[in-house]
Amino acid sequence: MGMDATTFILEIVNFLVLLWLMTRFLYRPLQAAIAKRQQQDAEARQSLQAARAELEAQRAQLAAQQADQEGLRDAAHRQLAVEIEAERTRQLAKLDVELDAERARAEARLAARLAQQAQQQDVAAAQRAQTFLRGYLERLAGPELEQAIIRLFLADLAALPEERRSQLLGSAAAVIEVTSAYETAEPLRREVETALTVQLGTASGFRWQQEPALIAGLAVRLNGHLLEASLAKSLEAFHTSSLAPNQV
Amino acid sequence: MNGLSGNTWFTVAGIGLSETLLLSIALTGLFALLAYVLGRSLSASPGRLQVVAEAALTLMTEAVAEVVPPAAVPRVLPFIATLWLFILAANLLGLVPGLSAPTRDLSVTAALAVLVFLAVHVYGVRAAGWRRYLRHYLQPSPILLPFHLISELTRTLALAVRLFGNMMSLEMAALLVLLVAGFLVPVPLLLLHVIEALVQAYIFGMLALIYIGGALEAASTSESPSPKEPAT
């Protein structure tokens, strides 16, 4: 084992030169490159953080805007609900009014229809009654009944009020037509002619004729007047009175 | 190779240039060329070589930062990194057929140890000044000054002899096995040579780093003892 002084010294020099070369050409450039990259990374990271912060701010702003929009939407929904409720109330009131009017009209139509039906029923009842009475009176009619009616006629004629009698005065035609349903007996004819002459003041002549439509009774035709006492006339009066509206 | 010292390949002006010295100079030239090429080709988007170099430098920076104060890392890193790279390359040079590792020469390892010895004091004095730095040899008691001085000498000697002895014995063992055994038997020993080269370079650099860290620590607090030397 030996030490070579030349090698020893030159090795020291060699290492120092190597140290200088490595420091000058390798370590410093490499450290500078690493530092530069780290700086770039830091800048990029800072830029990313700034971008992230900006994005966060934008997100927060968007969230605030969204909250505002939701608030406006809720308010609009509430306003719409209020308007819908008001409109619904108004439409319901309008519908109630229309329903009341329609109900009144329906009730009026029903009342009219009921009144019409009642009138129709009255007419039908009157017609049935008239038919029944006509048939029944036609079966009862006969010379005796007619004679009784003529007697009633003569009694009524004698009991005419003065005003009515004055109207009949002078209304006698040249020939007074006297119509009966049956052949009138001669004495009764004379009684009639005498009573008429008394009531009319004058009488030139009478012409008797028969009309079965009278059923029973007689009719006297004057100028502008008709004196009648017959079952047909009575039936007509019954029919007319039954069709007339009820009077309170 | 003549004995334990390197052969003298050239003699210039009466000065013999040994094989180990020339190989060391060659390594220096190779490193310088590599550093120059790499330094010229640095870019923002690094290539493979730049990535490897940056990774190695980052690893070494972190290793140095674990021992010395952060403020001292930029000053200490070049010396320690150069030690690691040079010793590793010098150790691995023994694997090249026909060449021997420069670190199996005691002159080389002694020169490196002396450089470490000097570097420890240079860094210590630069960090704290002469007075404060020298004062730590009197701590905790002036009686311990001889022991401190002996420690400085012996650890420097240990540095030189450890690296020299390991690399020399490794190469001797490989040579003996190659002479005795067949062709493929020394292959595991060559793999062991690689591991040993890495380990010895690491140990030498770490010890130097610890010594420097101790000097910086002693400079900052003269009360605190120097870090203990790890066993090898």
Side-chain angles (χ1 to χ4, degrees):
Chain A
M1 183 183 301
M3 282 280 294
D4 183 8
T6 304
T7 303
F8 177 78
I9 294 171
L10 290 180
E11 278 292 342
I12 292 176
V13 174
N14 175 62
F15 185 83
L16 291 176
V17 171
L18 176 62
L19 177 61
W20 182 83
L21 289 174
M22 294 292 278
T23 304
R24 170 71 176 79
F25 292 110
L26 185 63
Y27 299 145
R28 285 177 184 171
L30 215 50
Q31 285 175 330
I34 293 173
K36 185 179 179 182
R37 185 178 302 108
Q38 288 176 343
Q39 184 181 1
Q40 289 176 347
D41 291 344
E43 289 175 356
R45 195 177 301 113
Q46 189 175 3
S47 174
L48 285 175
Q49 288 176 349
R52 180 185 294 174
E54 186 177 358
L55 287 175
E56 291 290 337
Q58 290 180 356
R59 189 176 68 175
Q61 186 177 3
L62 285 176
Q65 289 179 356
Q66 186 177 1
D68 292 343
Q69 292 294 329
E70 288 179 354
L72 290 174
R73 188 185 61 188
D74 292 342
H77 282 175
R78 286 193 295 272
Q79 178 67 23
L80 182 61
V82 170
E83 291 179 359
I84 287 174
E85 183 61 25
E87 182 65 17
R88 178 174 171 274
T89 305
R90 192 176 66 80
Q91 293 290 339
L92 284 175
K94 182 181 177 183
L95 188 60
D96 287 341
V97 171
E98 291 178 354
L99 284 175
D100 290 341
E102 185 65 27
R103 189 180 299 112
R105 285 195 294 272
E107 288 176 350
R109 284 195 299 270
L110 179 61
R113 190 162 58 248
L114 290 175
Q116 187 180 5
Q117 288 176 355
Q119 187 178 4
Q120 289 174 354
Q121 289 174 356
D122 290 343
V123 170
Q127 287 177 348
R128 282 197 301 273
Q130 186 181 12
T131 302
F132 172 76
L133 283 174
R134 178 177 292 277
Y136 197 72
L137 291 175
E138 282 176 352
R139 291 181 60 187
L140 290 175
E144 294 82 6
L145 181 58
E146 187 175 70
Q147 188 176 357
I149 292 172
I150 290 172
R151 298 269 180 212
L152 285 175
F153 173 77
L154 291 174
D156 291 340
L157 189 61
L160 272 178
E162 193 60 29
E163 183 183 1
R164 178 63 176 160
R165 184 178 298 174
S166 62
Q167 289 178 354
L168 292 176
L169 286 176
S171 62
V175 178
I176 298 173
E177 289 185 0
V178 181
T179 307
S180 63
Y182 297 95
E183 182 68 27
T184 309
E186 191 58 31
L188 190 55
R189 280 190 181 183
R190 281 196 295 275
E191 282 185 31
V192 170
E193 288 173 356
T194 301
L196 285 173
T197 301
V198 171
Q199 292 297 330
L200 296 176
T202 179
S204 15
F206 293 93
R207 184 174 64 233
W208 289 80
Q209 57 185 3
Q210 292 180 348
E211 177 57 50
L214 294 177
I215 305 174
L218 83 170
V220 180
R221 293 191 180 280
L222 302 173
N223 285 334
H225 298 278
L226 174 63
L227 303 175
E228 183 176 356
S230 64
L231 291 179
K233 181 64 177 180
S234 298
L235 283 173
E236 184 180 353
F238 171 74
H239 182 65
T240 303
S241 64
S242 63
L243 290 179
N246 296 331
Q247 295 181 353
V248 178
Chain B
M1 182 71 64
N2 185 12
L4 299 179
S5 300
N7 295 326
T8 300
W9 282 5
F10 300 105
T11 301
V12 178
I15 300 173
L17 302 178
S18 64
E19 175 192 3
T20 53
L21 178 61
L22 292 175
L23 289 176
S24 297
I25 293 172
L27 281 178
T28 299
L30 186 64
F31 274 122
L33 179 64
L34 197 62
Y36 181 76
V37 171
L38 188 60
R40 293 291 299 268
S41 63
L42 293 178
S43 66
S45 56
R48 289 182 182 178
L49 186 60
Q50 185 177 345
V51 168
V52 172
E54 287 185 2
L57 186 63
T58 303
L59 279 175
M60 290 187 290
T61 304
E62 291 174 354
V64 171
E66 288 179 359
V67 178
V68 301
V73 171
R75 293 198 309 269
V76 176
L77 175 65
F79 181 73
I80 299 299
T82 306
L83 267 181
W84 268 328
L85 293 175
F86 178 77
I87 294 173
L88 176 64
N91 290 345
L92 292 176
L93 209 57
L95 293 173
V96 179
L99 298 180
S100 59
T103 46
R104 63 161 292 181
D105 189 344
L106 186 60
S107 301
V108 175
T109 58
L112 295 176
V114 167
L115 280 172
V116 171
F117 174 80
L118 295 176
V120 167
H121 299 302
V122 167
Y123 284 121
V125 170
R126 284 185 63 184
W130 285 101
R131 282 177 168 273
R132 193 174 172 187
Y133 177 72
L134 292 178
R135 194 184 304 145
H136 90 276
Y137 284 104
L138 304 176
Q139 301 295 337
S141 170
I143 300 174
L144 296 177
L145 176 63
F147 299 98
H148 282 304
L149 296 178
I150 292 171
S151 171
E152 291 287 339
L153 293 176
T154 53
R155 74 185 187 183
T156 303
L157 181 64
L159 266 182
V161 174
R162 181 187 300 111
L163 179 59
F164 160 72
N166 278 288
M167 296 314 298
M168 184 271 293
S169 61
L170 187 66
E171 288 203 351
M172 289 294 288
L175 182 63
L176 289 175
V177 171
L178 188 62
L179 290 176
V180 173
F183 176 67
L184 295 177
V185 174
V187 171
L189 203 61
L190 295 178
L191 294 176
L192 180 63
H193 191 145
V194 174
I195 296 172
E196 184 70 10
L198 285 167
V199 169
Q200 289 304 319
Y202 178 75
I203 289 173
F204 195 97
M206 279 305 294
L207 287 175
L209 181 60
I210 289 170
Y211 296 157
I212 293 171
L216 294 174
E217 183 76 13
S220 61
T221 58
S222 58
E223 305 297 333
S224 61
S226 298
K228 290 179 68 176
E229 180 178 337
T232 57

